[in-house]
Amino acid sequence: MAKLLWGKVEQPSAASRSSGRFFDYLRRPPRGQLQAKVWVRSRRERRAPWLRFLWGMGFWSSLLTGSVLSVGVVWLGFESLIMPQSSRLLVWFLPHAPGDLGQDQPQTLADIETELEAAGFSLGSIQSLQSQHHSTEDWLVPVLVERQPCRRQCQAISELRLYRQVSHDPARYRLRDRIAVSGPPEAFVLAPLVGTLLETSGVHRPLPLVDVSQLPNGQDDHLWLTLQGTWSRNNQRIRYGQLLRYDPKHARLALLTDWTSPADRLPQWRQLDGVALPELLVDQRVGLEPNFLAYRINPQTAAFSLRPLQPISLLDPVFDKKDKVAGYEKALLLARSGLWSSALQSLEQIKQSDDQKWPSEAEAQLAFIRLHARVTQAQANQIWGSGAQQILAYLVDGRWQAALKLMEDAPQVQQPMLDLLAADPGQLWQRISTVLQVNPRQQAPQVWGLLLLTAQQDRPAALAWLARQSDTEAAEQQYQAIMENQDQPIAAIATPTATPVSQAESTAIASVRLGSLIGAPSPIADIVASRWYRPSELATMPPEVPQWFQIPISTLQVEGTWQRGSAPTSNLSPAQLWQALGLNQNRGLQLFTLSPEGLLSADRLTIQGLQRQDGNLWLLASGFPAMANQGSLLAASPNTLNQLTVSRQLSIPQLSQTQPEPANQIANQLQQRLGLLPEVLLAVTEDPAVTTPAPSPELPMAFLDVTGDGVFETIVNVNAASLSTWGDEITGQLSQPSTMIISSRGGVLFSDLQAPYQLVAVTQSEGNGAIALIVYTQGSYQLWQWSAASQRFQPL
């Protein structure tokens, strides 16, 4: 039976309460008395609400501050690794620390140049990089290295550096970014020639990049630039380079992609689809074959896009195969095979029948195809001096029936046309195969397939191929009729009446290596065919020509050097001259007309004959009547003349920071010719005690090795627009846009400022790598060459 214990409850002492124990030990009761004691803790007094609020706020604020500091430290470390030039936080905390992690203190231009020279490098021409969308201005500094051994393009760019002026010390610059530069391999540069008659083998050695220029695109936040160089062999000249992008917000440079242009042209921006930003075009045309690369700018969803340029491709269809848009893939197939006009016609029909808006990718493909089609259509619409060339232009544009009719109507061009078909590297055969794949029952392409196989193999092989086609009876009959007409001219040519070229004549032709030619054409109404030499394989003169031109050859390139007239060729007969000039392969000439801005490409001429008059060489050419009444015409071999591009805008004070001697000489020339002594000289000396009455204007400038010695000269263009800040009184003195070429030491190599002549174009000399000048004076054109003796350009 359980017993109930009785006792009293006592209040615990203060010491017990402070110890925090709820129960204490049982005190031993007096002897003979059983007594139990239990201690119980009293209820703690509750805190005030405002104290609990302050305690909570302090706890969460401390936690949030610690998290933010942790994230900041992690981000600072991440930014310093991938974008050291944008880590301005250290500069804010440590004003005397370097602006970029791991980089040196700001330097003056003299310090930078001294540092480069000590390392075996030199300072290139500095460019100002400034976007209209950002207020920042950076300076692009090419670092040059001397190539050994070398004959031309000896100073190559090995590195690009990006500097920004220090705000509190404008004489010093802080390094923001730097990238190593290595040119594209030679095999890449020559890749567009593969599969053409100009195919040339190349190795994987990198080619030098010698110049950097801007590619203005006013609609983009970024600036686009290109490094460039030139590859030359015989009469073939290819321009190549690398594309760069400059991000003014983050002060970054990025190398994007290599490019090459057998057409010897810089990449250019052109609006193709009429949507958003323009596209970047690279011209890779070779002969009659149009070949462009087009890049679209990706939307800038991030500071740095991994693919800022996206090529327009015809390989991947935009529409699904099961889509209701029929024939879309066939149109792309036609375009990939070079049948641009047929592809354009198909796509435009598909788009008209589609009631839905096409996506931007499809619009870009359509615009890309239209660009190529316009080239082939213009070539086919042109009147060519040779019937075989006219037929070839028709075939390139896919005009099978028109080309076949011309072949049937002119039996004398059948053999030259078969020779062209025999030399086809595969481009025409691809067109024929593709058009028959899309529509197997077309008769005209079947006939051209027969003719091509006959030229490259034989008739049995051609007929065996035709047997595998559809509806071949009519095509075979038409083919046999052409071959019957062709048999007789072949027999006649097999026994020529002319005396064959002897070994001595062949040696005489080979002893004189002729190149490009320049002359001023004048239109004539009638010709006497008997006065002009014309090879027998060209048959008779074209019966219907819009306009005849006679061209006295004023300048001729002999052994890589420009010479006046045709005196070095006096020992050659007309037949030998025709062969030495390469007219048996290419009879085309470029026609130019003079404008206030210089020479503008007008049309194309075709050489039809040649003759000698009083020891001078004259050419007979045919062309378009639209240019006949325009004075000051100039004709030259293809890819001979180029515009002298001066697109960089620099003021004389800016130029004086890197090129003080050329800047002083430019100021002196402006003072002597235009009376700009107060404004220009004060701007150059930058005397703080004197203020200029007007801001120093920015002049278009370029930096180019024009003398062939490996040192860049300063080229300045002076026009009314560039001097507009000084008022009409000054600009009214300019009679024409003028050009000055100043050496690195301040010498005047050429100047047409207030002179009775004008520089209108330039051309390259193969002999010493120097650039020759085409100067217009008193209604005629002269070629000026560099003279090492006088250290100036002089008329030839």
Side-chain angles (χ1 to χ4, degrees):
M1 182 175 181
K3 295 182 179 181
L4 180 64
L5 300 180
W6 293 89
K8 67 178 182 179
V9 178
E10 297 183 357
Q11 192 75 11
S13 66
S16 299
R17 290 196 304 267
S18 64
S19 64
R21 292 175 297 172
F22 287 93
F23 298 98
D24 203 351
Y25 62 90
L26 295 177
R27 292 184 177 180
R28 182 176 296 179
R31 185 182 301 274
Q33 182 181 357
L34 182 62
Q35 187 177 10
K37 293 183 179 181
V38 180
W39 287 4
V40 202
R41 187 174 184 179
S42 64
R43 188 173 183 180
R44 179 176 296 180
E45 184 179 359
R46 297 187 64 181
R47 295 178 180 176
W50 62 273
L51 289 176
R52 288 191 300 160
F53 173 76
L54 290 179
W55 182 87
M57 288 292 296
F59 172 77
W60 289 111
S61 298
S62 301
L63 182 61
L64 180 61
T65 303
S67 302
V68 171
L69 288 176
S70 300
V71 173
V73 170
V74 172
W75 172 250
L76 180 62
F78 176 74
E79 188 182 28
S80 65
L81 289 176
I82 66 169
M83 293 186 293
Q85 73 288 339
S86 61
S87 300
R88 302 184 182 89
L89 191 58
L90 286 182
V91 181
W92 187 71
F93 282 114
L94 304 172
H96 302 290
D100 301 321
L101 295 179
Q103 296 184 359
D104 298 332
Q105 293 284 352
Q107 299 173 289
T108 64
L109 290 177
D111 295 337
I112 297 173
E113 188 171 8
T114 302
E115 177 187 347
L116 292 176
E117 291 178 351
F121 301 97
S122 60
L123 190 67
S125 301
I126 300 177
Q127 294 189 42
S128 171
L129 300 182
Q130 188 173 11
S131 172
Q132 63 180 2
H133 302 280
H134 297 272
S135 59
T136 58
E137 182 179 15
D138 293 324
W139 298 88
L140 183 67
V141 178
V143 178
L144 307 180
V145 62
E146 191 76 18
R147 300 170 60 236
Q148 295 293 342
C150 177
R151 291 172 48 185
R152 57 186 303 269
Q153 298 187 143
C154 296
Q155 281 194 321
I157 300 176
S158 64
E159 182 184 3
L160 288 177
R161 296 187 180 184
L162 196 66
Y163 288 89
R164 181 171 294 179
Q165 284 180 313
V166 180
S167 57
H168 60 275
D169 189 0
R172 294 183 177 273
Y173 299 83
R174 191 183 301 278
L175 182 63
R176 304 303 307 274
D177 197 8
R178 59 195 300 180
I179 55 175
V181 174
S182 178
E186 186 181 34
F188 169 82
V189 173
L190 302 180
L193 303 182
V194 175
T196 70
L197 297 177
L198 299 176
E199 182 171 351
T200 304
S201 61
V203 296
H204 289 281
R205 64 181 178 92
L207 296 180
L209 296 166
V210 299
D211 190 21
V212 57
S213 57
Q214 299 184 25
L215 300 175
N217 181 6
Q219 302 181 34
D220 192 11
D221 291 344
H222 297 164
L223 289 181
W224 299 84
L225 307 99
T226 180
L227 293 158
Q228 61 173 313
T230 56
W231 177 95
S232 299
R233 185 176 298 174
N234 299 328
N235 290 330
Q236 182 67 34
R237 175 184 169 97
I238 300 177
R239 188 175 298 192
Y240 61 85
Q242 292 177 337
L243 289 173
L244 300 95
R245 185 184 61 166
Y246 159 67
D247 186 348
K249 182 179 180 181
H250 300 87
R252 290 296 305 272
L253 287 172
L255 278 173
L256 302 181
T257 184
D258 298 333
W259 61 268
T260 176
S261 174
D264 193 19
R265 295 184 178 180
L266 285 174
Q268 60 176 323
W269 297 99
R270 183 182 298 182
Q271 186 63 260
L272 294 182
D273 54 5
V275 179
L277 297 174
E279 286 73 24
L280 185 66
L281 292 184
V282 179
D283 191 347
Q284 295 186 337
R285 282 182 288 183
V286 178
L288 296 180
E289 292 291 341
N291 184 11
F292 294 93
L293 293 180
Y295 296 91
R296 305 176 70 201
I297 300 179
N298 278 348
Q300 297 300 316
T301 55
F304 296 99
S305 174
L306 296 179
R307 296 184 62 191
L309 288 177
Q310 183 178 1
I312 298 177
S313 174
L314 300 179
L315 294 176
D316 301 325
V318 175
F319 300 105
D320 188 79
K321 293 183 179 180
K322 298 180 180 179
D323 196 275
K324 62 180 180 180
V325 181
Y328 170 75
E329 287 186 341
K330 290 184 178 180
L332 293 186
L333 176 61
L334 292 172
R336 292 195 299 267
S337 301
L339 295 167
W340 302 102
S341 295
S342 300
L344 177 63
Q345 183 179 3
S346 299
L347 284 182
E348 288 179 340
Q349 292 176 354
I350 293 172
K351 185 178 179 181
Q352 290 178 359
S353 61
D354 189 11
D355 55 355
Q356 294 184 357
K357 182 179 180 181
W358 277 25
S360 60
E361 292 82 0
E363 291 287 355
Q365 289 178 335
L366 178 60
F368 185 62
I369 293 173
R370 183 182 294 111
L371 173 68
H372 288 78
R374 287 175 178 173
V375 174
T376 59
Q377 291 170 4
Q379 294 174 165
N381 294 332
Q382 178 178 336
I383 299 177
W384 296 81
S386 168
Q389 290 178 326
Q390 187 73 67
I391 294 175
L392 185 61
Y394 283 158
L395 294 178
V396 170
D397 194 43
R399 304 184 186 185
W400 309 105
Q401 189 59 45
L404 197 58
K405 185 178 186 305
L406 184 57
M407 185 81 163
E408 294 174 329
D409 294 344
Q412 69 274 10
V413 305
Q414 292 179 3
Q415 184 58 45
M417 190 62 221
L418 289 176
D419 294 338
L420 288 179
L421 293 177
D424 173 54
Q427 295 161 326
L428 285 179
W429 179 252
Q430 185 178 12
R431 285 181 170 92
I432 295 172
S433 301
T434 302
V435 72
L436 292 178
Q437 177 182 347
V438 175
N439 189 353
R441 300 181 182 275
Q442 295 191 58
Q443 178 179 336
Q446 289 180 346
V447 176
W448 281 111
L450 287 168
L451 294 174
L452 190 147
L453 289 175
T454 302
Q456 295 188 348
Q457 300 181 35
D458 51 29
R459 296 189 187 186
L463 294 174
W465 169 81
L466 183 64
R468 297 191 294 270
Q469 309 303 312
S470 303
D471 295 339
T472 62
E473 183 177 355
E476 183 176 357
Q477 292 177 358
Q478 195 170 11
Y479 162 74
Q480 294 291 1
I482 293 176
M483 296 309 297
E484 289 177 2
N485 292 334
Q486 191 266 340
D487 286 337
Q488 183 61 34
I490 292 178
I493 295 175
T495 58
T497 58
T499 304
V501 177
S502 64
Q503 181 65 33
E505 290 176 327
S506 300
T507 304
I509 294 173
S511 63
V512 180
R513 184 169 64 90
L514 304 181
S516 302
L517 54 88
I518 298 174
S522 58
I524 55 177
D526 300 315
I527 64 168
V528 180
S530 59
R531 296 181 181 178
W532 298 91
Y533 168 77
R534 181 177 174 87
S536 59
E537 58 266 20
L538 294 181
T540 59
M541 292 285 188
E544 297 180 2
V545 172
Q547 180 63 57
W548 291 102
F549 294 88
Q550 59 180 5
I551 308 171
I553 301 304
S554 59
T555 312
L556 184 65
Q557 206 171 54
V558 182
E559 301 295 333
T561 302
W562 289 103
Q563 298 185 15
R564 294 191 62 182
S566 57
T569 65
S570 59
N571 61 328
L572 298 180
S573 66
Q576 293 170 342
L577 263 177
W578 189 275
Q579 185 174 349
L581 290 171
L583 300 182
N584 54 335
Q585 298 177 351
N586 185 3
R587 295 189 290 128
L589 289 176
Q590 284 183 295
L591 182 65
F592 299 89
T593 182
L594 186 63
S595 71
E597 294 78 20
L599 286 182
L600 296 179
S601 179
D603 272 309
R604 176 189 172 96
L605 300 181
T606 302
I607 299 175
Q608 304 291 356
L610 61 82
Q611 64 170 279
R612 276 200 180 93
Q613 294 182 11
D614 301 327
N616 295 322
L617 180 62
W618 291 67
L619 298 178
L620 177 67
S622 58
F624 287 87
M627 296 292 102
N629 296 324
Q630 297 189 14
S632 305
L633 299 177
L634 183 66
S637 300
N639 302 322
T640 297
L641 303 186
N642 295 291
Q643 292 288 344
L644 187 58
T645 304
V646 282
S647 57
R648 304 176 192 170
Q649 301 287 333
L650 289 177
S651 65
I652 296 180
Q654 291 173 338
L655 179 65
S656 64
Q657 296 180 9
T658 57
Q659 306 284 341
E661 294 180 349
N664 284 323
Q665 184 59 256
I666 294 172
N668 293 335
Q669 291 295 312
L670 293 177
Q671 176 260 318
Q672 295 174 10
R673 308 296 176 91
L674 300 178
L676 297 180
L677 176 62
E679 292 85 353
V680 175
L681 292 185
L682 290 177
V684 173
T685 57
E686 295 183 345
D687 187 351
V690 185
T691 58
T692 59
S696 181
E698 292 186 346
L699 303 175
M701 297 186 185
F703 303 91
L704 189 66
D705 177 18
V706 299
T707 62
D709 60 354
V711 180
F712 283 4
E713 285 76 32
T714 303
I715 303 171
V716 186
N717 182 263
V718 182
N719 52 56
S722 61
L723 300 182
S724 59
T725 58
W726 281 334
D728 296 337
E729 181 179 355
I730 299 299
T731 58
Q733 301 182 41
L734 289 174
S735 58
Q736 62 190 20
S738 303
T739 304
M740 291 187 290
I741 303 178
I742 312 297
S743 71
S744 59
R745 297 182 179 180
V748 180
L749 308 186
F750 174 86
S751 175
D752 59 4
L753 184 62
Q754 301 297 79
Y757 47 81
Q758 179 186 5
L759 174 62
V760 294
V762 297
T763 183
Q764 190 77 24
S765 176
E766 297 180 3
N768 54 10
I771 288 178
L773 311 180
I774 307 298
V775 178
Y776 178 75
T777 175
Q778 298 179 355
S780 63
Y781 296 91
Q782 292 181 341
L783 188 139
W784 290 38
Q785 278 191 312
W786 166 249
S787 172
S790 63
Q791 292 294 300
R792 291 180 65 91
F793 280 91
Q794 294 182 345
L796 181 64

